[in-house]
Amino acid sequence: MAPHAQETLSAAPVDVAQPALVSKPRPDTDRQALFPSGIDEDAEAGKKGHPAAKYRHYLPTWDKTAPPQPRLEPFEAHDPGLDADTSYPDLLPASVTRTDLTPTIGSEVRGIQLSSLTAAGKAQLAHLVASRKVVAFRDQDFADLPVGEAVDFARFFGPLHVHPTAGLAEEHPEVLVVHRGAGDDSVDKFFAGRTSTVLWHSDVSYEAQTPSLTFLYVLEKPGVGGDTIFVDAVEGYERLSPAFQERLHGLKAVHSGEEQAAGSLKRGGIVRREAVKNEHPIVRTHPVTGEKALFVNPGFTREIVGLKKEESDALLKFLYDHLAFGADFQARVRWEPGTVVLWDNRVTQHSALIDWKSGERRHLARITPQGERAFETPFVAK
């Protein structure tokens, strides 16, 4: 499809809260207990029955002495995917193996080293991820690169987001650390009163200019478990009737980071930047592919502008359930050592799966470029 013009931002952003139950359109603050605001130093040093952390320079930090960060500034975004050769000669030469996980979402690639890509290859990478929604690259060297090199690679795709509450890599605030420590039993306490840890969300969707891509690379993982699931929000839109699609066009929803900030403070964590709310269209158009996607999620979406509470709650619940139950347009990525997963936040939602009971560490690093302000193009009947 033909690319569409991108828009620039006017409001200032903040970072992500964690999602709520599928069946509830309001934030589920109980789930924030699953997200730590500190680490067990003895466990990470190998003194509590599990091996020491292999990548100690990637352990999360929360510097409570640092001054508050300013609001994020608007910028003019240009998606590199617009410049790509869509035959992917630099990204997927004949020696590379690509396997699609499902017809509409998810691919696995072996035989190319991302860190060696030229600018042309990186543009092709942006286009491939926009098209396939989520792509897992196996046997990568990201985890063993100097952290700054991984950061510089990701910066090609846009200004890098700094999370306001999560643990960050020391000296590299652009790197959000996804870390469940060795022997962490918080999930057992959670399951005493709940049945599922699934948290569907699009990363920091409350920002004025939300993320385009996310880079997530594994450092350590459980032997089995800890996968990540993704849903294709483009196919979710396509499954709706034309009449319903048309009704959604023109509606906007409020996305908020306030609950995440409050939850962090309640757990003894920090808030690096003032929390924000922003309105985004419920039907979002991708700047490269022109595809339309549903852009609401139970983690950060709070209400539909102009509707009464009961109306807004009912419509949001339908959309959340529609995406969450859509197993026929979802993909599951199993982590392997050396895996880098990239996904497009504008057209997907995802959730980690906290399903292992071995007490093993799950440790990953996330770098998140920001993109254009969400925009909508007119409804077109098919």
Side-chain angles (χ1 to χ4, degrees):
M1 302 178 72
H4 293 266
Q6 299 185 65
E7 297 185 1
T8 56
L9 229 201
S10 58
V14 170
D15 203 278
V16 218
Q18 291 296 339
L21 276 178
V22 166
S23 59
K24 293 177 67 178
R26 296 296 175 183
D28 182 356
T29 54
D30 290 348
R31 290 178 181 267
Q32 294 191 2
L34 293 173
F35 298 88
S37 55
I39 62 172
D40 184 330
E41 295 283 359
D42 287 341
E44 298 311 303
K47 299 178 180 180
K48 290 192 172 182
H50 292 275
K54 183 178 178 181
Y55 293 90
R56 292 190 61 82
H57 60 296
Y58 267 111
L59 288 175
T61 62
W62 294 262
D63 184 0
K64 296 183 180 180
T65 66
Q69 295 180 353
R71 286 191 163 212
L72 301 184
E73 293 295 329
F75 64 93
E76 185 172 355
H78 177 79
D79 195 304
L82 291 166
D83 308 321
D85 180 340
T86 57
S87 67
Y88 307 133
D90 303 282
L91 179 67
L92 302 178
S95 58
V96 170
T97 301
R98 166 184 153 183
T99 304
D100 291 342
L101 303 181
T102 80
T104 70
I105 179 173
S107 296
E108 181 179 270
V109 175
R110 296 180 187 270
I112 189 75
Q113 195 62 248
L114 292 177
S115 61
S116 67
L117 289 178
T118 62
K122 293 175 185 177
Q124 294 162 29
L125 176 62
H127 191 281
L128 177 66
V129 176
S131 302
R132 291 299 305 163
K133 315 303 189 292
V134 56
V135 184
F137 289 86
R138 305 297 189 181
D139 305 314
Q140 301 297 304
D141 61 4
F142 260 57
D144 296 308
L145 293 175
V147 181
E149 289 188 20
V151 170
D152 288 343
F153 182 93
R155 188 173 282 116
F156 175 88
F157 301 88
L160 300 181
H161 187 266
V162 176
H163 201 284
T165 66
L168 307 177
E170 190 171 11
E171 299 183 4
H172 294 281
E174 308 91 346
V175 180
L176 183 154
V177 181
V178 179
H179 178 263
R180 182 159 297 279
D184 186 334
D185 64 354
S186 59
V187 71
D188 297 328
K189 299 172 183 177
F190 177 84
F191 279 137
R194 305 301 292 274
T195 61
S196 175
T197 62
V198 173
L199 305 173
W200 288 110
H201 63 289
S202 175
D203 289 333
V204 295
S205 68
Y206 49 76
E207 297 288 12
Q209 286 178 259
T210 62
S212 51
L213 304 182
T214 287
F215 293 77
L216 186 63
Y217 49 103
V218 67
L219 304 168
E220 292 187 70
K221 58 176 288 296
V224 178
D227 300 346
T228 305
I229 52 175
F230 298 85
V231 61
D232 180 352
V234 171
E235 185 65 16
Y237 172 80
E238 294 292 337
R239 295 287 180 92
L240 300 174
S241 67
F244 201 87
Q245 291 174 346
E246 185 173 16
R247 181 63 192 92
L248 293 178
H249 276 263
L251 293 179
K252 292 187 176 183
V254 176
H255 296 240
S256 172
E258 292 179 351
E259 294 78 8
Q260 180 190 38
S264 178
L265 293 176
K266 184 178 179 179
R267 299 191 309 275
I270 63 174
V271 176
R272 300 182 180 92
R273 188 169 60 249
E274 181 184 355
V276 299
K277 294 180 179 180
N278 278 290
E279 296 178 5
H280 298 304
I282 287 179
V283 178
R284 179 175 188 168
T285 302
H286 196 285
V288 175
T289 66
E291 293 179 316
K292 298 175 187 292
L294 297 174
F295 196 66
V296 294
N297 69 85
F300 307 116
T301 308
R302 300 296 173 249
E303 61 186 357
I304 298 174
V305 178
L307 298 189
K308 294 183 178 181
K309 180 181 184 301
E310 293 85 353
E311 297 166 341
S312 174
D313 287 355
L315 182 51
L316 287 175
K317 180 183 184 302
F318 169 80
L319 295 174
Y320 298 160
D321 287 353
H322 170 57
L323 293 170
F325 299 152
D328 50 349
F329 49 96
Q330 295 176 4
R332 181 174 182 136
V333 173
R334 184 174 184 182
W335 292 96
E336 298 177 3
T339 297
V340 178
V341 175
L342 290 86
W343 66 87
D344 195 312
N345 283 280
R346 298 165 290 195
V347 291
T348 65
Q349 292 180 29
H350 62 279
S351 177
L353 299 178
I354 307 176
D355 58 354
W356 70 101
K357 301 179 181 179
S358 59
E360 294 172 277
R361 181 181 296 103
R362 184 178 186 268
H363 193 186
L364 306 97
R366 183 182 110 185
I367 310 177
T368 311
Q370 290 177 262
E372 77 287 349
R373 188 179 181 95
F375 66 94
E376 176 185 14
T377 50
F379 171 73
V380 177
K382 294 184 178 180

